[in-house]
């Protein structure tokens, strides 16, 4: 699980890998970096009654004033439906959401601090007008049913936005965990007091869940920074040990995976044995289909992300246990089996899969055309923080290797579109070769190389065979020796 965003979710996305890397998968990456920032949270309010109808819901919006980015996220209850980027040229957007069951929740997001909630009932139209104020923020005028609920949600979102509580050590190292917890308590109290008389038990339950989630994340972050195990913290235990995994709103709260991790903590000495015992003990006790799917993703992730921990017999036993626990989830089992097959196919000495890459000038280059040298491949994306932090180290490594005729360093972007990639390399002007995979090639190549997260570094031998499918990073002091050894082996 990523230390920074801690999403722990799989929504068409492969789980995070080691050292806080960033996920890649079928959801557009620009979506994912925003989606992880809001952690799939949504506020749906009971006092605006859910109509027992199904039909279209129409959202019309106008933005008056300059803005850099604006996204509209739509949710059916607690599950992400879509992520829509607004065209900054005219600031007008119109979304027609088909077959809405009762109502659709949404949030309009301008910056890290400007969020506006909304709800549209089936067969209704909602109009939202945003005006930029002199301080650079936005004012919203709301025209449609459920206005009070939307305004409560807007307040809820600004109260329980995770990013404001200093979860990243690079955000403000002078703010302690205790100070962040105090700020959360103040804002939580202010939300409840400011909306007194408007909040139903449902509102309060959702606020409780979100507050406890943020507390848990703060304790995790503090423990991580101090080299401690957060599962041993009694305050953390009080937040997660009694969570109801069948609560219909637990999945969106972020507490489900934390409950499972705590439940597993004394179930074995390694991740595999803990997962096996957890599945055995909780088989049939998870009655929520969504919770079961999420927990199945969690335990399946051990095999998907660490297939090297299993031999053939162990893999078969583990897949059988997940099937017995989770039931009919064929895509999940296919992912597990594919990951293991890809692992076996990409061990040292296997043929390196070929792929067509695009150079900054638009020309096409086959990876195989570069064979003949030892190739150190940096798989990255502009949106991936850990990837970007490796770039200076990659630049230094490429500089040290520039006079070697037997070693070639290249970077291969997995960005969804060329624009951010070209903008980034235009600004940084890297001295080593840069390429990008077209969107339709990313998933296939990553599947064939068992790449579940980036940054990922691969070493290919001069013979076009895999030398190391998961090599050390350029920031690792041993990287020069590793590359020298690879070159001397041929």
């Amino acid at each position: 699980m990523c230390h920074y965003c801690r999403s722990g979710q799989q929504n068409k996305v492969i789980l995070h890998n080691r050292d806080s890397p960033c996920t890649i998968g079928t959801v557009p990456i620009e979506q994912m970096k925003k989606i992880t920032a809001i952690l799939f949270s949504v506020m749906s309010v009971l006092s605006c009654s859910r109509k027992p109808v199904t039909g279209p819901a129409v959202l019309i919006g106008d933005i008056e004033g300059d803005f850099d980015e604006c996204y509209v996220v739509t949710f059916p209850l607690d599950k992400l439906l879509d992520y829509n980027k607004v065209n900054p040229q005219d600031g007008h957007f119109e979304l027609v959401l088909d077959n809405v069951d009762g109502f659709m929740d949404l949030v309009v997001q301008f910056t890290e601090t400007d969020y506006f909630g909304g709800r549209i009932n089936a067969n209704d139209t909602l109009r939202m007008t945003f005006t930029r104020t002199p301080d650079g923020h936005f004012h919203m005028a709301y025209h449609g049913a459920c206005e009070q609920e939307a305004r409560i949600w807007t307040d809820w979102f600004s109260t329980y936005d995770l990013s404001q509580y200093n979860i990243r050590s690079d955000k403000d190292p002078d703010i302690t965990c205790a100070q962040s917890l105090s700020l959360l308590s103040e804002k939580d109290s202010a939300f409840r007091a400011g909306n007194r008389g408007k909040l139903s038990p449902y509102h309060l339950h959702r606020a409780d869940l979100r507050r406890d989630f943020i507390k848990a994340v703060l304790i995790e972050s503090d423990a991580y920074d101090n080299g401690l195990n957060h599962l041993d913290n009694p305050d953390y235990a009080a937040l997660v040990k009694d969570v109801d995994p069948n609560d219909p709103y637990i999945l969106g709260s972020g507490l489900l995976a934390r409950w499972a991790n705590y439940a597993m903590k004394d179930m074995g000495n390694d991740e595999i044995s803990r997962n096996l015992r957890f599945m055995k003990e909780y088989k049939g006790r998870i009655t929520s289909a969504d919770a079961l799917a999420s927990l199945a993703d969690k335990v399946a992730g051990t095999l998907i992300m660490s297939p090297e921990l299993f031999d053939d017999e162990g893999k078969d036993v583990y897949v059988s246990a997940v099937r017995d626990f989770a039931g009919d989830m064929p895509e999940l089992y296919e992912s597990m089996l594919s990951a293991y097959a890809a692992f076996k196919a990409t061990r040292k000495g296997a043929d390196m899969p070929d792929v067509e890459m695009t150079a900054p000038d638009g020309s096409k280059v086959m990876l195989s055309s570069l064979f003949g040298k030892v190739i150190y491949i940096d798989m990255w994306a502009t949106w991936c923080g850990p990837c970007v932090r490796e770039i200076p180290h990659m630049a230094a490594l490429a500089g040290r290797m520039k006079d070697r005729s037997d070693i070639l360093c290249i970077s291969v972007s997995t960005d969804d579109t060329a624009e951010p990639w070209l903008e980034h390399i235009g600004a940084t002007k890297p001295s080593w070769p840069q390429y990008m995979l077209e969107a339709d090639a990313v998933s296939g190549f990553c599947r064939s190389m068992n790449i579940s997260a980036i940054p990922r570094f691969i070493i290919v031998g001069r013979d076009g065979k895999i030398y190391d499918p998961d090599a050390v990073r350029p920031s690792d002091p041993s990287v020069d020796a590793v590359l020298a050894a690879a070159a001397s082996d041929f």
Side-chain angles (χ1 to χ4, degrees):
M1 181 176 292
C2 176
H3 171 56
Y4 292 104
C5 81
R6 294 180 172 85
S7 65
Q9 300 276 354
Q10 275 193 314
N11 191 20
K12 297 184 181 177
V13 185
I14 300 172
L15 285 169
H16 291 215
N17 203 343
R18 60 182 185 176
D19 300 324
S20 304
C22 300
T23 58
I24 53 180
T26 58
V27 170
I29 296 305
E30 182 64 25
Q31 293 179 212
M32 283 311 304
K33 69 175 182 178
K34 300 288 183 178
I35 294 168
T36 53
I38 62 174
L39 294 171
F40 299 166
S41 294
V42 63
M43 180 69 166
S44 52
V45 184
L46 292 183
S47 57
C48 184
S49 61
R50 182 184 178 107
K51 296 182 178 181
V53 295
T54 300
V58 180
L59 171 67
I60 300 174
D62 288 288
I63 305 169
E64 300 172 359
D66 295 336
F67 66 96
D68 294 325
E69 289 185 336
C70 178
Y71 294 82
V72 181
V73 192
T74 50
F75 302 85
L77 287 177
D78 233 8
K79 307 173 191 65
L80 175 72
L81 175 68
D82 205 356
Y83 210 90
N84 307 276
K85 187 172 183 178
V86 178
N87 184 350
Q89 301 304 315
D90 57 17
H92 177 80
F93 56 92
E94 184 168 338
L95 299 175
V96 179
L97 309 169
D98 294 322
N99 299 319
V100 170
D101 182 16
F103 64 86
M104 181 66 65
D105 289 320
L106 59 96
V107 62
V108 179
Q109 173 187 350
F110 285 95
T111 67
E112 289 188 358
T113 56
D114 282 329
Y115 301 100
F116 299 94
R119 167 175 287 192
I120 319 174
N121 284 321
N123 296 318
D124 280 348
T125 297
L126 167 66
R127 183 181 294 274
M128 304 175 81
T129 303
F130 304 91
T131 306
R132 191 165 193 132
T133 57
D135 64 0
H137 294 288
F138 286 87
H139 169 77
M140 184 264 289
Y142 188 107
H143 310 282
C146 306
E147 180 172 356
Q148 176 174 292
E149 289 75 8
R151 294 194 182 281
I152 292 174
W153 183 20
T154 299
D155 190 14
W156 186 93
F157 217 105
S158 66
T159 299
Y160 303 108
D161 170 25
L162 180 62
S163 65
Q164 66 187 301
Y165 295 108
N166 189 40
I167 64 164
R168 302 191 307 270
S169 58
D170 61 340
K171 185 175 181 182
D172 189 345
D174 295 326
I175 298 178
T176 66
C177 178
Q179 289 171 322
S180 294
L181 287 167
S182 177
L183 176 62
L184 171 63
S185 178
E186 291 173 9
K187 292 178 74 70
D188 176 61
S189 297
F191 168 75
R192 296 165 194 263
N195 292 283
R196 185 173 288 114
K198 302 175 185 177
L199 302 178
S200 69
Y202 171 79
H203 293 111
L204 297 173
H205 178 55
R206 293 298 301 274
D208 289 346
L209 290 174
R210 186 62 175 176
R211 178 201 59 205
D212 289 353
F213 163 74
I214 297 173
K215 285 183 178 180
V217 170
L218 289 170
I219 293 172
E220 289 171 7
S221 182
D222 188 59
Y224 181 92
D225 292 340
N226 290 284
L228 302 173
N229 185 350
H230 60 275
L231 295 176
D232 295 331
N233 186 310
D235 292 332
Y236 187 87
L239 293 169
V240 302
K241 66 184 180 64
D242 294 324
V243 162
D244 177 7
N246 295 309
D247 184 326
Y249 302 104
I250 203 65
L251 195 61
S253 75
L255 289 171
L256 180 65
R258 287 163 174 81
W259 165 79
N261 286 337
Y262 187 81
M264 290 181 190
K265 77 183 186 76
D266 296 321
M267 288 188 172
N269 295 323
D270 59 80
E271 187 175 6
I272 296 174
S273 61
R274 286 192 294 270
N275 287 350
L276 287 170
R277 182 173 168 186
F278 176 84
M279 287 187 283
K280 182 178 181 180
E281 290 198 10
Y282 283 92
K283 177 189 174 184
R285 295 167 61 181
I286 310 298
T287 57
S288 163
D290 290 332
L292 183 62
S294 179
L295 292 171
D297 278 343
K298 173 180 170 57
V299 294
T302 299
L303 175 55
I304 292 171
M305 300 193 58
S306 303
E308 68 277 6
L309 299 178
F310 299 82
D311 56 20
D312 290 345
E313 182 179 356
K315 177 262 299 180
D316 291 340
V317 169
Y318 197 79
V319 173
S320 177
V322 179
R323 287 181 188 272
D324 191 45
F325 171 71
D328 185 22
M329 296 186 183
E331 292 184 0
L332 180 64
Y333 311 132
E334 178 59 31
S335 295
M336 297 172 71
L337 296 172
S338 295
Y340 188 74
F343 160 71
K344 295 194 71 173
T346 56
R347 287 179 292 187
K348 184 175 181 178
D351 290 335
M352 180 67 189
D354 202 4
V355 67
E356 184 181 74
M357 308 179 296
T358 302
D361 63 3
S363 61
K364 305 298 182 182
V365 178
M366 297 302 298
L367 177 60
S368 58
S369 69
L370 306 179
F371 293 169
K373 298 181 178 183
V374 169
I375 308 173
Y376 183 71
I377 304 174
D378 164 27
M379 302 295 300
W380 76 294
T382 59
W383 50 266
C384 169
C387 299
V388 173
R389 286 194 289 275
E390 288 292 328
I391 289 176
H393 302 286
M394 187 71 180
L397 175 64
R400 296 194 299 271
M401 299 295 151
K402 66 179 182 180
D403 294 328
R404 293 199 59 151
S405 60
D406 55 346
I407 296 175
L408 173 66
C409 297
I410 68 172
S411 289
V412 181
S413 167
T414 61
D415 278 284
D416 273 350
T417 60
E419 287 80 4
W421 171 61
L422 291 173
E423 181 180 349
H424 190 281
I425 62 178
T428 57
K429 297 180 171 53
S431 61
W432 66 101
Q434 303 289 312
Y435 302 103
M436 177 180 176
L437 296 184
E438 298 296 335
D440 58 356
V442 171
S443 60
F445 180 75
C446 290
R447 222 174 13 250
S448 66
M449 282 301 298
N450 196 33
I451 298 175
S452 58
I454 54 175
R456 175 74 169 264
F457 299 89
I458 303 166
I459 299 176
V460 183
R462 289 203 300 267
D463 56 0
K465 296 185 180 295
I466 296 169
Y467 183 85
D468 190 338
D470 192 4
V472 297
R473 298 184 177 193
S475 58
D476 191 305
S478 69
V479 66
D480 288 50
V482 169
L483 287 174
S488 68
D489 279 354
F490 296 93

